[in-house]
Amino acid sequence: MNGTAIPVQELTCQLLDAADGIPADTAAAGLIISHGHFLHRDAFRRTITAGTSISTGQPLATISWDAALRALETGLLPCASSEQAILRIAASLGDPAIPVHLRTVLGNLDTRNITLVATAITTANG
């Protein structure tokens, strides 16, 4: 099941619960959540898989970072340049196989977004 049918507040909790204990995953989910844009877009929410924990039965949700970037790159998730930068940084934090070119993405961010990125990086550091 994808995340389109889940209310934003509940989806936020499920993303953070799934990332709990993994600083980089918590940072990635936190950046997307705190940015406040993506969880309100169905095109992005389709890249979220919702399910339940096999050990506790607790509802959890995870973002497919590859799918999110693929949606961005194929035009299915149109975004402003600053939104693209946030998504690319979050994806790089959330998936160690996804590189980000900081020189390219940081120049597109205003003070608020730079602060969100700095917070995410600090969180990822544990």
Side-chain angles (χ1 to χ4, degrees), residues 1-112:
M1 173 169 135
N2 69 34
T4 56
I6 302 169
V8 171
Q9 189 63 30
E10 188 176 330
L11 187 57
T12 295
C13 292
Q14 290 181 19
L15 287 168
L16 291 173
D17 287 345
D20 189 38
I22 306 167
D25 290 352
T26 300
L31 180 55
I32 290 297
I33 292 163
S34 63
H35 184 262
H37 173 76
F38 293 100
L39 293 184
H40 298 280
R41 306 266 318 266
D42 281 346
F44 180 78
R45 289 168 60 116
R46 282 190 285 277
T47 70
I48 298 173
T49 302
T52 57
S53 167
I54 58 171
S55 60
T56 66
Q58 176 180 349
L60 300 174
T62 58
I63 299 166
S64 170
W65 297 109
D66 284 333
L69 290 179
R70 198 168 33 259
L72 178 67
E73 291 164 0
T74 60
L76 296 174
L77 182 60
C79 294
S81 61
S82 64
E83 294 162 349
Q84 288 182 38
I86 292 293
L87 181 55
R88 291 181 189 285
I89 293 165
S92 184
L93 289 167
D95 183 339
I98 297 175
V100 66
H101 300 281
L102 291 175
R103 181 177 181 160
T104 304
V105 296
L106 293 179
N108 295 318
L109 301 179
D110 60 15
T111 303
R112 176 186 178 269

Side-chain angles (χ1 to χ4, degrees), residues 22-28 92-94 117-126:
I22 306 167
D25 290 352
T26 300
S92 184
L93 289 167
V117 169
T119 300
I121 291 169
T122 302
T123 300
N125 193 43

